[in-house]
Amino acid sequence: MAELYPSIAQCAVVATAFKVLLFPAYRSTDFEVHRNWLALTYSLPIKQWYYEKTSEWTLDYPPAFAYFEWLLAQMARFIDPNILEIENMGYDRWQAVYFQRTTVILAEFLLIYALKCYIRSSSQPAKQTSYAAALSILLSPALLIIDHIHFQYNGFLYGVLLLSLVCARKQSGQLSSGLIFALLLCLKHIYLYLAPAYFVYLLRVYCLGSKTRLDIHLVNSLKLGSGLVIVFGLIFGPFIYWRQLDQLLSRLFPFGRGLCHAYWAPNIWSLYSFTDRVLLLVAPRLGFVIDQDAVHSVTRGLIGNTSFACLPSISPRTTFLLSLVSQMPSLVKLFLQPSWETFVLYKRKPVPLVSRPSHIQEDQEIWTFEQTGEVFTTYQSYLQRGDFYRQKRFSCEITGHSGLTFFEAFQSEADASGEVEDAFPDALKGPILRKVQFSTISRLDHLVDHVYEDFKHDYYPGESIVVTFGDSSRSPGILREKTKFPELLRADGSIERSAFARYRVCLNNSSDKEIVVEANDLVRERKTFTKQRLRSFLKKSIDHESWIGAPWCVKPEIAQFYQISGSLPPHLTYEHQMAQRKAHSMLKKNDFDGQLLNFSPGLPQLKPKGQKHKRESQDAARLGEEYQRALAANPDFGKIPQQQVEQFLTGPNGINGVSNIVVKSQPKQPPPPPALKYPIEDLELPPVPNKAPRPALKFLSIDPPTPHILPEKSARGILMRSVGPLLETWDTLNVYCEVFQLDSFTFDDYVEALQLTHDIHHCTLISEIHCAVLKKLVNDVNDKNGQVQFSLPESKSSRSEDSSVADTTSLPSPTPEPEAKPSARTTRSSLAKSEAADLKAVQTAGSSTIESKLHRAADMEHATRAYDWKMRLRKRDFGQGAWVYIIVGLLYQLSNDPRRKGTCNEILSKLAPPSQEATIQTVISQYSLIDINTRVKILEILCMLSLETKAIRIYMEECNNNMTEFRKEKIDMQRKRRAAMEDLQSLHEERKILQPRSRTTSPLPELEGLNDSKMTNGTEDEIEVDDEDVVVDTEEEEKPHQGRSLRRANDRATQRRKRAEEERLRKERLQAEKAKKPSKQEKQYEKIVKKIEEAKDQIKEYEEEVSVLENDLRESDCPRTRVLGKDRFWNRYYWFERNAMPYAGLPDSSTAFAGYANGCLWVQGPDDMERQGFIELCEAENRQYYNAFKMRVPERKMIEEGQTHVFNARQWGYLDEPDELDKLIGWLDTHGVREVKLRKELQAQRDKITKYMVQRKRFLAMSAEKKPEDEEPTSRMSTRTKTYTGSATTRRCFAWTNLTAEREIGHMHGEPKPPANNRKQGKPAKKAIEEDVRQTRATSRQGKPLTRQGSRYTF
């Protein structure tokens, strides 16, 4: 029950809520019928119940239902006593209606309980079908209409019937089943048509024996008989005692009414009555005798007796006999096969498929069914099978839908299983498929149980989970990272610490809050990971061959998507398994308890004595051959210790006359310790003495972790705690530069701009960054009324003004103006309101005295409340550095959030200090005085807020969609290239045959990559991705390419010219060869050569297309910055250009001449969870580690990392020399599980990293040469609180300008919009630019522009 979702109880709650809404709905005359029964059972004694006829709706249900009505009447007298008055006919006040409708809902709880019992009693494979059937009954529209609109108690009665059927399912409940059904008959006698089936079933399974049909169980018969007598006696006994049985039966069975009563009847008799009415019209012409008394006896919807005019009347005896005869076939089958399935259900089994014919000739005609793969050699058998499949007798195994043809059921199962697979968690698909790949567990059910137990309490990055806290509170979140801690063993082999894992989780209710928890604190949402869903997912994803012991294999297309190797291990192949089994069976058959030895066949042999010895020798030789086959597939099979071999050769029986000898087994020696299988945990590898340490890191801060290291010149004023935010904000602004409408910029220019002081407001880079991000936080005043795009806490002033909303709603809202003091007409009321607002503002300011001591942002907000920061931002009023005031207003309102209060107050204390006046000019001047660390904090807050906006979310969704399309196109191109290479290989073989002797054939270099896994379907020889670590798809990033977008327009043009030149030379060579008069063979040879050249060109095009798609994938991968990997001490390595941005920035940016973006390899220290679990061990673990390696982990870190270190995740270092990168690659150990991956990634990206390191060095050197020699004296270096100053004409950052904004919106973000006439004049030029951009814009296969490929994203 726990795996079925939604549960029956949950569905019942929803259904009940819907039924309550139907209380005022239409109701039929049955509502008055049951109200009258409530009245007569309450007001009259039992003797008069079946004689009362004040109302035409007399009591015609059995006494048990009358007792039920009496119980309801006892409750009705507390609701409305008028309900219980017999003469009060047609009473329908709302109290009566609501009470009676509520009794139907409450009585239906019995049906809910019976349905839960039905599901619980079902077997595990049938639970899903039973669940579907139960839901179809509970939510049946027919039951809803009849009971809760028309008004009946059928749900209650059906619950009694279902409870009886569930009890009949087990032998212990068969007696209860009969008694419950007897009670049902006393509630409503219409269920008498089921009585014959109950009688036969209980007689056969409960009263008669199973061995012979005449073996009577007397005790059971007496139990059942006496029980029935008691039930019927208690209910009908009073009426028998009062001699009212005839009157009661006349009410229950009003045969005088005929077959058709109150416009309803069973189908056959309705048609019979209709035929009688038709014959009544034609009877005079046909001479039929008409019963005149029956002509006017047709019912009019009320109680009345009816008869037929032309056709003979049907007596009750006739209907009874017809009903019994129609049930006889089923009753006979039930008597002969007395099972619950025969009693209740039609037993459904899986359809057995027709086996494939063993011998089919190549020219023989066959017929097949595509859905099943069945093959028929005769058309007659094919037709018979098709007729069987077209019968509507099949059901869907998953949904439970029945009455389908085989093909409809087949399609229904396929669709339903696809829905189940979509509901399966994406984060678990890859790890589970890697787990089951090549598994030899034979049965799928056992495999599901095994996988479910392994993954039930194991979680993976990307999963949606729920975190449970100690106070029983729960919070949903997303699992970001997982760290596994290995098992620790003592010297004696006992377990000192079991393996465990820790998880970093981002809580949904706070986008920037991450916590570290263990597996015991995590749970999955209900129904996300169940055995049923797991079984459906595996059934659609894996398959195995039909031979016994065949391993499960992930389907090729799915394995390719998840990068799972499809190469079957040799010891699991069919040939190896068969050879091994045959060898073992022969060993067992001949009772060999030793190992078979093979000696050199070249030694002299003794003559055998007779045929018996000859047969034994032949058997031994044959056994040896089988042994050799098994040995070839598994070298460890049958391996014999050297001691036994020497003993045999030197013993008395060491005769060389037999080539195959059997040696008795010796006592088993203790197994040797298992050999280490690399890679293993990095810190478990022994230290290598005298190995060169890791190359020294450089630090972009004035407080490096290693004190004796001097900071870099460019690190002026930067604290180590600001390096991480510096990198994060720079990466965010460059990754989403198309959203922000910003030109890309280098990291060095970014740092230099943030270090400026007196020229800060003249630096376009600083103002454009802030203005561009601010514009995404709040819409333009003409766009959705300037809607705020992120969650903004309520300001103090708005809370204080809530109490006066009623007073101010009658006044028109003033229109904001660009000036701080808008001109408006002054009235008494407006002055009064203004004074009241001033007073409230003063009171609010007085309540926050602590903040007023820190800064004067509240005073500034009060002074400019008529034209506050939001209105200024909506109007895009950024001129003269006003964007700094907008930031102050934003930070002041964000300070109402407890999470950001401390940071915001710290920044506001520097921008709006309490010692300065609360004016805009103050904050503008103060911004030029604050240090780079504070400026980075501001940008960090702005970037975090921008990630919540709709523009960023839409952009990321678009990139994800593009990545899906790119992957599909890449797979298609790889397949085409593979096919083209196979064609090229066949052409090469044909060329060898036709080649003249005067020519030599050189091998084709294109064929060398024929078996390259990268250009196949991605299923061979790939390194599997670790599920716990976030690792980029290396297949998609190993070959950066010359693209097809605006970002790479120049490179692509150069490549086109190179290809054109190669094509021209090739054509000239072909024309020169054609000038000769070739022979017929040479003509064929030349034709083959031409085809080979065409195939080469085609392959080259495919390779170029794959390279383009790989780079498209890399640039579209924007949700997260991908880490290259981790070293042995859990330091993380980043190359920020690796994904989501061009390697050298936008090619059309104003500083594209720099030729690089970041140009450094950054190293981040381990986070707290990794440091505590692997480096800072407890005393016992430190002692164990010291005993093994004669040093502790921190000591090893200090030795192997050299002179520079990073100790936590808030510390960063970097490498910027190609030689240092090569030394780092050489320092990594390929035997470690983390460093082998990091080394592979660094080697794959080495050329690109080196290229842009060199480019950065060259560009910085050229910039330094252009500066005057006396430009920067040493005395200009600042302290931690001061910022570097320099001349604006010599700073690199001043060369940057926002060409992107000028192209797309006509002006930079910090500038006001140009006048309308200027914009009209500038339209033709802008249109020409757009047309030029559109010509070089990349498109997908469908002709759509690609977001990350030079085209601009429009919001």
Side-chain angles (χ1 to χ4, degrees):
M1 292 291 291
E3 297 181 7
L4 301 176
Y5 181 80
S7 66
I8 294 294
Q10 291 170 331
C11 293
V13 171
V14 177
T16 302
F18 180 71
K19 292 168 186 176
V20 171
L21 297 177
L22 297 176
F23 277 5
Y26 151 83
R27 53 191 178 276
S28 71
T29 54
D30 281 340
F31 179 83
E32 173 59 23
V33 170
H34 287 276
R35 189 213 63 80
N36 183 56
W37 293 356
L38 286 173
L40 68 90
T41 55
Y42 180 79
S43 305
L44 300 175
I46 299 178
K47 288 183 179 182
Q48 300 179 22
W49 284 1
Y50 287 95
Y51 287 94
E52 167 60 35
K53 54 181 180 181
T54 303
S55 172
E56 57 186 343
W57 313 115
T58 57
L59 181 60
D60 56 5
Y61 270 33
F65 197 86
Y67 300 151
F68 174 71
E69 292 280 3
W70 179 83
L71 290 174
L72 297 181
Q74 303 307 311
M75 294 183 287
R77 65 192 179 94
F78 297 105
I79 304 300
D80 187 357
N82 295 326
I83 301 174
L84 306 177
E85 295 180 6
I86 298 177
E87 295 79 9
N88 203 359
M89 291 182 290
Y91 185 76
D92 59 352
R93 291 194 63 184
W94 69 268
Q95 291 93 336
V97 174
Y98 282 24
F99 169 73
Q100 290 187 244
R101 293 230 187 255
T102 303
T103 59
V104 177
I105 295 176
L106 294 177
E108 221 171 53
F109 285 161
L110 181 63
L111 174 62
I112 298 171
Y113 172 73
L115 291 174
K116 293 188 70 174
C117 294
Y118 169 62
I119 297 174
R120 193 179 296 115
S121 64
S122 302
S123 60
Q124 187 64 32
K127 265 198 191 309
Q128 187 71 24
T129 306
S130 303
Y131 171 71
L135 282 187
S136 65
I137 295 172
L138 178 63
L139 306 177
S140 171
L143 202 59
L144 184 71
I145 293 172
I146 294 174
D147 279 15
H148 301 278
I149 297 179
H150 182 84
F151 196 83
Q152 283 284 353
Y153 288 91
N154 293 296
F156 162 66
L157 298 172
Y158 199 78
V160 179
L161 174 62
L162 189 58
L163 202 59
S164 173
L165 293 175
V166 172
C167 291
R169 200 164 198 168
K170 295 183 179 180
Q171 186 176 3
S172 59
Q174 291 167 356
L175 177 60
S176 302
S177 173
L179 299 181
I180 294 173
F181 182 72
L183 176 62
L184 177 64
L185 293 180
C186 297
L187 286 168
K188 192 168 184 178
H189 54 294
I190 197 173
Y191 289 99
L192 272 172
Y193 68 89
L194 295 177
Y198 265 93
F199 173 77
V200 173
Y201 178 70
L202 293 177
L203 174 67
R204 187 68 180 84
V205 301
Y206 191 71
C207 298
L208 299 180
S210 58
K211 296 182 179 179
T212 62
R213 300 189 181 101
L214 299 179
D215 181 17
I216 300 175
H217 291 173
L218 186 59
V219 176
N220 289 352
S221 302
L222 290 175
K223 286 181 183 179
L224 182 60
S226 59
L228 296 177
V229 170
I230 292 173
V231 172
F232 287 110
L234 290 175
I235 295 174
F236 287 92
F239 300 95
I240 297 174
Y241 175 76
W242 294 321
R243 298 181 180 179
Q244 296 181 0
L245 188 60
D246 293 339
Q247 175 64 20
L248 191 151
L249 294 177
S250 65
R251 286 285 184 90
L252 298 182
F253 303 99
F255 295 123
R257 298 177 184 175
L259 294 177
C260 301
H261 161 62
Y263 292 128
W264 73 271
N267 294 338
I268 188 65
W269 304 123
S270 299
L271 297 175
Y272 189 83
S273 177
F274 174 75
T275 304
D276 182 74
R277 294 296 120 184
V278 173
L279 292 177
L280 186 61
L281 299 177
V282 299
R285 299 179 183 179
L286 300 178
F288 288 170
V289 178
I290 301 175
D291 184 0
Q292 296 297 331
D293 296 335
V295 172
H296 302 290
S297 68
V298 179
T299 179
R300 291 293 180 266
L302 303 175
I303 297 176
N305 297 332
T306 63
S307 59
F308 297 100
C310 298
L311 296 177
S313 296
I314 306 299
S315 64
R317 184 177 302 174
T318 304
T319 59
F320 174 75
L321 292 175
L322 290 175
S323 299
L324 187 59
V325 170
S326 63
Q327 291 187 17
M328 283 305 295
S330 300
L331 296 177
V332 171
K333 181 181 179 181
L334 180 58
F335 186 80
L336 298 176
Q337 301 177 6
S339 64
W340 189 85
E341 286 77 12
T342 310
F343 175 50
V344 179
L345 305 172
Y346 176 78
K347 180 68 173 179
R348 299 187 181 274
K349 300 178 180 178
V351 178
L353 301 180
V354 177
S355 58
R356 186 182 294 269
S358 57
H359 300 288
I360 300 178
Q361 303 297 330
E362 293 183 359
D363 56 348
Q364 185 177 358
E365 189 175 13
I366 59 172
W367 292 264
T368 63
F369 287 104
E370 182 181 356
Q371 291 84 350
T372 63
E374 294 171 304
V375 177
F376 300 89
T377 57
T378 62
Y379 188 62
Q380 185 65 27
S381 60
Y382 172 75
L383 287 179
Q384 292 176 355
R385 193 66 173 178
D387 293 339
F388 170 70
Y389 283 155
R390 292 183 185 91
Q391 297 178 17
K392 290 186 175 294
R393 54 184 297 186
F394 300 92
S395 63
C396 176
E397 182 183 8
I398 299 176
T399 63
H401 296 164
S402 58
L404 308 174
T405 66
F406 175 82
F407 304 108
E408 291 172 346
F410 183 87
Q411 186 62 37
S412 176
E413 289 184 359
D415 296 341
S417 60
E419 294 175 2
V420 173
E421 184 179 355
D422 293 339
F424 197 77
D426 292 334
L428 291 178
K429 291 181 180 179
I432 288 177
L433 292 178
R434 290 185 176 88
K435 176 75 175 180
V436 302
Q437 180 74 318
F438 308 139
S439 174
T440 55
I441 299 176
S442 58
R443 295 193 56 179
L444 182 60
D445 293 338
H446 296 167
L447 181 64
V448 169
D449 294 339
H450 177 70
V451 174
Y452 182 79
E453 291 300 324
D454 285 351
F455 285 82
K456 183 167 58 175
H457 300 298
D458 198 7
Y459 308 92
Y460 290 84
E463 274 197 86
S464 297
I465 45 82
V466 175
V467 183
T468 59
F469 299 98
D471 56 355
S472 301
S473 61
R474 298 159 63 93
S475 176
I478 303 295
L479 200 154
R480 294 300 187 193
E481 293 182 9
K482 173 182 179 181
T483 303
K484 296 181 69 175
F485 296 88
E487 181 181 73
L488 295 181
L489 300 178
R490 298 186 179 92
D492 57 356
S494 59
I495 298 176
E496 180 177 351
R497 185 192 70 186
S498 300
F500 67 99
R502 287 179 181 164
Y503 306 89
R504 185 180 298 277
V505 179
C506 178
L507 301 181
N508 290 350
N509 53 12
S510 57
S511 59
D512 59 344
K513 183 177 180 181
E514 292 186 351
I515 60 174
V516 177
V517 295
E518 295 188 3
N520 296 333
D521 301 324
L522 299 179
V523 293
R524 292 188 176 93
E525 293 284 354
R526 291 190 65 221
K527 314 308 177 188
T528 56
F529 181 62
T530 63
K531 287 187 179 180
Q532 183 64 33
R533 286 188 176 180
L534 177 60
R535 188 179 188 277
S536 301
F537 171 67
L538 291 180
K539 191 175 180 181
K540 293 291 292 182
S541 304
I542 62 176
D543 197 2
H544 66 92
E545 298 179 2
S546 58
W547 51 277
I548 299 175
W552 291 98
C553 298
V554 181
K555 295 180 179 179
E557 62 275 8
I558 300 177
Q560 175 185 347
F561 181 80
Y562 291 102
Q563 302 178 13
I564 301 174
S565 175
S567 301
L568 188 66
H571 68 280
L572 293 179
T573 59
Y574 177 78
E575 293 77 9
H576 175 269
Q577 293 288 325
M578 292 302 103
Q580 200 169 25
R581 287 178 189 173
K582 193 170 183 181
H584 281 297
S585 64
M586 294 192 67
L587 285 170
K588 185 176 181 180
K589 181 178 179 181
N590 291 276
D591 295 328
F592 287 104
D593 62 344
Q595 301 289 347
L596 191 65
L597 293 178
N598 295 327
F599 294 95
S600 173
L603 298 177
Q605 300 181 0
L606 296 178
K607 184 177 180 180
K609 297 180 180 180
Q611 296 297 325
K612 181 178 180 180
H613 183 79
K614 182 177 181 180
R615 280 198 307 270
E616 292 177 353
S617 178
Q618 291 174 351
D619 291 342
R622 186 171 65 254
L623 184 59
E625 293 174 359
E626 298 296 339
Y627 169 80
Q628 288 296 333
R629 293 197 196 100
L631 188 64
N634 185 2
D636 295 331
F637 177 81
K639 195 169 183 179
I640 300 175
Q642 183 66 26
Q643 180 182 359
Q644 295 184 19
V645 177
E646 295 176 356
Q647 180 180 358
F648 174 78
L649 293 175
T650 57
N653 296 324
I655 302 175
N656 296 328
V658 181
S659 61
N660 297 286
I661 307 297
V662 176
V663 178
K664 297 294 182 179
S665 62
Q666 299 295 327
K668 292 185 177 179
Q669 300 293 330
L676 288 176
K677 294 183 179 180
Y678 297 105
I680 62 173
E681 165 59 35
D682 299 73
L683 292 176
E684 294 295 329
L685 293 170
V688 180
N690 301 325
K691 184 177 181 180
R694 185 189 64 187
L697 302 178
K698 298 178 181 178
F699 299 101
L700 189 68
S701 67
I702 59 176
D703 56 343
T706 309
H708 62 274
I709 300 297
L710 296 177
E712 297 294 315
K713 292 183 179 180
S714 58
R716 298 178 181 89
I718 303 175
L719 299 177
M720 179 56 73
R721 58 180 171 83
S722 300
V723 177
L726 262 175
L727 291 167
E728 292 173 6
T729 53
W730 174 83
D731 187 64
T732 302
L733 294 170
N734 278 271
V735 168
Y736 300 108
C737 61
E738 294 173 337
V739 183
F740 295 128
Q741 295 175 318
L742 281 172
D743 264 19
S744 61
F745 46 88
T746 65
F747 181 71
D748 296 301
D749 289 352
Y750 179 62
V751 173
E752 185 182 57
L754 290 175
Q755 290 174 328
L756 295 174
T757 54
H758 64 280
D759 292 324
I760 186 69
H761 293 294
H762 299 288
C763 181
T764 306
L765 178 58
I766 292 296
S767 61
E768 284 296 290
I769 287 174
H770 290 84
C771 295
V773 178
L774 288 171
K775 287 173 71 173
K776 294 305 171 186
L777 301 182
V778 179
N779 288 348
D780 188 86
V781 68
N782 298 320
D783 183 8
K784 299 181 180 179
N785 296 323
Q787 184 179 4
V788 178
Q789 295 295 310
F790 63 97
S791 57
L792 186 64
E794 188 179 4
S795 64
K796 299 181 181 64
S797 61
S798 62
R799 288 198 298 267
S800 64
E801 292 173 1
D802 285 344
S803 59
S804 62
V805 169
D807 299 332
T808 59
T809 51
S810 60
L811 296 176
S813 58
T815 302
E817 298 293 336
E819 300 298 329
K821 296 181 179 180
S823 60
R825 181 179 179 181
T826 304
T827 62
R828 292 183 179 181
S829 60
S830 63
L831 287 174
K833 299 299 180 183
S834 177
E835 291 175 0
D838 293 344
L839 181 60
K840 289 182 181 292
V842 170
Q843 293 175 353
T844 304
S847 64
S848 58
T849 55
I850 298 177
E851 291 185 4
S852 63
K853 294 178 180 178
L854 295 176
H855 55 77
R856 300 194 63 183
D859 299 336
M860 190 174 301
E861 182 188 31
H862 173 66
T864 59
R865 65 181 182 276
Y867 190 51
D868 62 354
W869 69 272
K870 281 187 282 191
M871 182 56 66
R872 189 182 293 271
L873 181 53
R874 291 187 181 108
K875 288 182 172 292
R876 306 304 190 231
D877 186 5
F878 300 130
Q880 303 298 323
W883 52 268
V884 184
Y885 161 72
I886 296 175
I887 291 175
V888 170
L890 172 62
L891 293 177
Y892 180 65
Q893 191 158 349
L894 288 176
S895 65
N896 297 320
D897 185 355
R899 296 176 300 155
R900 298 189 177 101
K901 184 175 182 179
T903 304
C904 293
N905 286 336
E906 180 185 354
I907 298 173
L908 290 173
S909 65
K910 298 180 180 180
L911 290 177
S915 60
Q916 300 287 337
E917 295 183 2
T919 62
I920 298 178
Q921 289 74 20
T922 298
V923 298
I924 294 175
S925 61
Q926 285 296 121
Y927 185 83
S928 62
L929 299 178
I930 61 176
D931 59 357
I932 183 175
N933 305 290
T934 307
R935 292 172 182 171
V936 171
K937 287 182 182 179
I938 296 173
L939 281 171
E940 184 180 17
I941 293 174
L942 295 181
C943 290
M944 291 297 295
L945 294 177
S946 69
L947 296 179
E948 301 179 20
T949 61
K950 184 178 180 181
I952 296 293
R953 292 198 303 269
I954 292 176
Y955 182 78
M956 287 194 290
E957 291 174 1
E958 184 69 20
C959 287
N960 288 333
N961 295 335
N962 287 341
M963 290 180 69
T964 302
E965 294 297 326
F966 293 151
R967 288 193 183 100
K968 293 178 180 178
E969 294 181 19
K970 178 185 173 184
I971 292 172
D972 184 54
M973 287 298 162
Q974 288 174 338
R975 289 173 179 170
K976 289 181 180 179
R977 180 188 179 275
R978 176 72 177 182
M981 292 187 69
E982 291 175 353
D983 294 340
L984 178 61
Q985 188 174 20
S986 61
L987 290 172
H988 181 59
E989 297 298 329
E990 191 174 352
R991 185 181 70 168
K992 289 180 180 179
I993 298 174
L994 298 174
Q995 180 184 6
R997 296 181 179 178
S998 59
R999 302 189 182 186
T1000 57
T1001 303
S1002 58
L1004 297 177
E1006 290 82 4
L1007 296 179
E1008 295 177 359
L1010 184 60
N1011 295 323
D1012 187 5
S1013 63
K1014 182 185 174 186
M1015 286 301 177
T1016 60
N1017 293 331
T1019 59
E1020 300 176 1
D1021 301 328
E1022 291 182 352
I1023 295 180
E1024 298 182 4
V1025 181
D1026 191 356
D1027 303 296
E1028 292 95 16
D1029 294 330
V1030 180
V1031 180
V1032 176
D1033 184 5
T1034 58
E1035 179 186 305
E1036 299 169 356
E1037 299 177 359
E1038 284 185 0
K1039 287 191 177 181
H1041 62 92
Q1042 301 299 329
R1044 53 179 180 182
S1045 66
L1046 182 62
R1047 290 178 172 178
R1048 300 174 297 275
N1050 296 331
D1051 295 338
R1052 192 172 65 253
T1054 303
Q1055 190 175 8
R1056 284 200 301 267
R1057 290 194 297 270
K1058 184 178 179 180
R1059 287 202 302 267
E1061 182 66 20
E1062 293 176 353
E1063 182 68 17
R1064 185 182 62 80
L1065 295 175
R1066 186 182 65 83
K1067 289 181 178 180
E1068 290 179 356
R1069 186 173 62 256
L1070 290 176
Q1071 290 177 359
E1073 292 178 356
K1074 286 181 180 179
K1076 302 178 182 178
K1077 293 182 179 180
S1079 62
K1080 184 177 181 180
Q1081 181 179 356
E1082 289 179 345
K1083 288 181 179 180
Q1084 294 178 353
Y1085 177 79
E1086 295 299 333
K1087 188 181 295 184
I1088 295 297
V1089 171
K1090 184 177 180 181
K1091 290 182 178 180
I1092 289 175
E1093 294 296 328
E1094 293 174 354
K1096 288 181 180 180
D1097 295 340
Q1098 190 67 42
I1099 292 172
K1100 188 178 296 183
E1101 291 179 6
Y1102 290 147
E1103 291 175 348
E1104 292 173 357
E1105 191 68 21
V1106 168
S1107 299
V1108 170
L1109 291 169
E1110 286 177 348
N1111 200 65
D1112 291 342
L1113 280 166
R1114 185 189 66 83
E1115 292 190 2
S1116 298
D1117 185 17
C1118 66
R1120 295 190 66 185
T1121 301
R1122 302 293 183 179
V1123 62
L1124 288 170
K1126 307 171 187 177
D1127 64 13
R1128 69 195 68 164
F1129 301 111
W1130 293 89
N1131 300 314
R1132 288 175 169 83
Y1133 290 77
Y1134 290 91
W1135 182 43
F1136 287 94
E1137 297 95 320
R1138 180 184 184 182
N1139 67 301
M1141 67 173 71
Y1143 292 114
L1146 295 176
D1148 55 350
S1149 67
S1150 57
T1151 56
F1153 56 86
Y1156 75 99
N1158 191 298
C1160 298
L1161 181 67
W1162 290 88
V1163 184
Q1164 182 188 22
D1167 60 21
D1168 297 338
M1169 180 173 60
E1170 295 160 348
R1171 191 180 70 254
Q1172 295 171 5
F1174 287 90
I1175 300 175
E1176 298 175 0
L1177 306 177
C1178 64
E1179 185 60 31
E1181 294 172 348
N1182 270 328
R1183 188 165 50 253
Q1184 181 181 359
Y1185 197 87
Y1186 185 84
N1187 293 335
F1189 303 114
K1190 304 306 179 185
M1191 64 176 69
R1192 292 177 173 81
V1193 178
E1195 297 172 358
R1196 180 174 180 177
K1197 176 181 175 69
M1198 301 300 290
I1199 295 172
E1200 296 185 355
E1201 286 187 346
Q1203 299 180 354
T1204 55
H1205 316 277
V1206 281
F1207 299 101
N1208 54 60
R1210 293 169 294 280
Q1211 296 176 352
W1212 292 76
Y1214 67 93
L1215 302 174
D1216 61 352
E1217 297 287 350
D1219 294 341
E1220 296 174 348
L1221 176 61
D1222 293 335
K1223 292 178 181 178
L1224 174 65
I1225 294 175
W1227 178 75
L1228 299 174
D1229 195 337
T1230 57
H1231 296 89
V1233 66
R1234 291 186 296 278
E1235 292 193 354
V1236 66
K1237 296 177 183 179
L1238 175 60
R1239 180 186 174 93
K1240 178 180 180 298
E1241 293 297 323
L1242 288 175
Q1243 287 177 334
Q1245 306 289 345
R1246 180 192 173 280
D1247 294 340
K1248 287 292 181 183
I1249 298 175
T1250 301
K1251 174 182 176 182
Y1252 293 105
M1253 281 182 174
V1254 172
Q1255 185 65 28
R1256 175 177 178 268
K1257 286 290 184 182
R1258 184 184 299 115
F1259 176 74
L1260 295 179
M1262 292 172 57
S1263 301
E1265 292 176 359
K1266 294 179 182 179
K1267 295 181 181 180
E1269 294 181 358
D1270 57 346
E1271 177 233 339
E1272 186 186 8
T1274 56
S1275 61
R1276 303 295 292 274
M1277 181 177 294
S1278 64
T1279 63
R1280 293 190 179 186
T1281 58
K1282 299 295 182 180
T1283 311
Y1284 174 73
T1285 61
S1287 174
T1289 59
T1290 59
R1291 300 295 101 214
R1292 294 187 311 271
C1293 60
F1294 285 95
W1296 184 90
T1297 184
N1298 197 357
L1299 298 178
T1300 300
E1302 292 179 348
R1303 282 195 303 267
E1304 297 185 5
I1305 61 176
H1307 61 91
M1308 287 193 287
H1309 296 295
E1311 298 174 351
K1313 292 183 180 179
N1317 54 354
N1318 291 348
R1319 290 203 302 268
K1320 290 180 181 179
Q1321 295 174 0
K1323 273 187 177 180
K1326 183 179 180 182
K1327 183 176 181 182
I1329 293 174
E1330 291 178 352
E1331 290 178 353
D1332 182 54
V1333 172
R1334 194 179 300 114
Q1335 291 176 358
T1336 58
R1337 185 175 295 173
T1339 58
S1340 64
R1341 299 288 180 187
Q1342 295 77 19
K1344 299 179 181 179
L1346 304 179
T1347 304
R1348 296 291 296 169
Q1349 307 302 319
S1351 62
R1352 295 302 174 188
Y1353 202 94
T1354 304
F1355 295 95

